[in-house]
Amino acid sequence: QATLQLHCRIACMDDDMVLLVAFDDAHARRVEAVRRDFVANISHELKTPIGAIGVLAEAVEAAKDDPAAVERFAGRLQTETGRLAELVRQIIDLSRLQAADPLLEKESVDVAEVVAEAIRRCRERAEKRHVNILNVHPTDTRVLGDQWQLTDAVTNLIQNAINYSDEGARVAISIVDATENGEEFVDVKVSDNGIGIKPEDQERIFERFYRVDYGRSRSSGGTGLGLSIVRHIAQAHGGSIKVWSIPGQGSTFTLRFPAYHPRVEHRKEVP
Ligand code: ADP
């Protein structure tokens, strides 16, 4: 015998009318299961860098009479601490984005400026890996949103394009005006000629902590959270993220946002 639990809420009331809205609790249970899953994943992911830091700290202690070894272990200690800090930063970002209303203040954002800043943030990594970033210059295109979130999303995509390509690869970023069902959009496309993604992985890469190749993700400082953060940012802006990829040839990620046309302000002529 199945039991159905209902949550009730008084939705509207006046002198002679009470409206009771009943919810079955399946949705609440689903939300709770997702939350529990996230916490379990986080605990698991935190164990790796914390474990490594513990082992390396012991190694430094044991090697104290060997300055070269101490230096080597101290360097790795710094790398692991950096990884841990990045993981915690991304977990906080993701939980903020999952909160009920992450986009309280929207402003008119210049998409070209977002792309330029994202490229600046990735320049050092690109130079290290001899990756050539090509910015196909756009027209004056604007979206309504949070400049820093949008920059984070594009930065994540460019970083991935660099990380999952061989040295000397090419990453191209373009901003394209698009129309679908009569609605106008702005697409930011990040293309690489890197390792590509198999069709069965293409949907899963947007899940939290999903990596196609754990070793490669970890060695490039990945946390497995980047694309789920990008997806949350896209959704919070009424947009979407899609991938097109051919294994061995490369990938194109398309971030789509509703276009925004601010009203032209007529300034008074000063005589
Ligand atoms: P990570 O921190 O591991 O990069 P992401 O959420 O950003 O996590 O990406 C999830 C996985 O998707 C990566 O581990 C990688 O396997 C795959 N991936 C993401 N971007 C690309 C790309 N441009 N080319 C090939 N694989 C990619």
Side-chain angles (χ1 to χ4, degrees):
Q1 194 184 335
T3 330
L4 178 67
Q5 265 199 346
L6 294 176
H7 295 275
C8 294
R9 188 180 296 157
I10 298 174
C12 167
M13 196 168 57
D14 62 22
D15 286 350
D16 50 12
M17 189 177 74
V18 174
L19 186 64
L20 266 185
V21 180
F23 303 92
D24 98 58
D25 70 347
H27 175 70
R29 271 184 281 132
R30 256 195 322 272
V31 171
E32 177 54 22
V34 169
R35 194 197 61 79
R36 248 185 287 126
D37 217 37
F38 186 35
V39 172
N41 280 339
I42 288 173
S43 320
H44 176 77
E45 296 288 334
L46 287 173
K47 273 185 197 150
T48 310
I50 290 174
I53 287 168
V55 170
L56 285 163
E58 279 173 24
V60 170
E61 170 79 51
K64 57 179 181 283
D65 298 327
D66 179 352
V70 168
E71 198 177 321
R72 207 170 55 245
F73 291 136
R76 288 177 51 194
L77 207 48
Q78 269 179 358
T79 308
E80 289 299 332
T81 316
R83 247 177 215 155
L84 187 59
E86 178 61 11
L87 182 58
V88 170
R89 189 187 69 76
Q90 292 209 327
I91 289 169
I92 293 171
D93 270 5
L94 197 55
S95 4
R96 281 207 187 117
L97 285 163
Q98 285 172 335
D101 193 0
L103 258 192
L104 294 175
E105 285 181 29
K106 290 185 183 177
E107 53 180 339
S108 165
V109 179
D110 179 349
V111 185
E113 182 48 45
V114 164
V115 169
E117 172 59 21
I119 292 175
R120 270 195 290 278
R121 291 188 191 173
C122 299
R123 182 136 357 248
E124 202 181 314
R125 180 174 291 250
E127 275 167 11
K128 250 189 214 152
R129 295 186 42 85
H130 307 288
V131 169
N132 188 16
I133 303 185
L134 218 91
N135 185 6
V136 184
H137 268 293
T139 51
D140 176 28
T141 308
R142 295 188 161 264
V143 297
L144 203 57
D146 178 313
Q147 172 129 13
W148 293 111
Q149 283 189 17
L150 293 169
T151 310
D152 275 350
V154 179
T155 305
N156 261 308
L157 295 181
I158 302 176
Q159 264 169 0
N160 279 347
I162 298 170
N163 291 343
Y164 301 106
S165 299
D166 293 330
E167 292 222 355
R170 174 196 52 74
V171 173
I173 301 133
S174 55
I175 301 172
V176 183
D177 294 327
T179 310
E180 195 181 304
N181 300 330
E183 276 187 71
E184 289 180 55
F185 296 94
V186 178
D187 287 353
V188 180
K189 290 179 179 285
V190 179
S191 302
D192 63 64
N193 56 353
I195 62 173
I197 306 159
K198 288 197 283 257
E200 61 268 32
D201 288 317
Q202 288 177 20
E203 260 312 299
R204 301 213 57 197
I205 52 174
F206 298 100
E207 291 170 19
R208 291 177 305 226
F209 297 119
Y210 186 83
R211 290 99 150 181
V212 178
D213 175 347
Y214 183 86
R216 179 151 189 164
S217 162
R218 194 174 142 72
S219 65
S220 59
T223 61
L225 287 178
L227 288 179
S228 53
I229 290 177
V230 173
R231 185 162 66 175
H232 270 91
I233 293 175
Q235 287 168 349
H237 286 79
S240 62
I241 172 82
K242 292 218 168 83
V243 62
W244 176 91
S245 182
I246 298 181
Q249 289 189 24
S251 312
T252 296
F253 284 83
T254 304
L255 253 178
R256 168 165 287 190
F257 301 106
Y260 174 61
H261 302 291
R263 266 187 301 131
V264 181
E265 289 188 12
H266 298 285
R267 270 177 283 159
K268 270 194 198 141
E269 290 287 325
V270 180

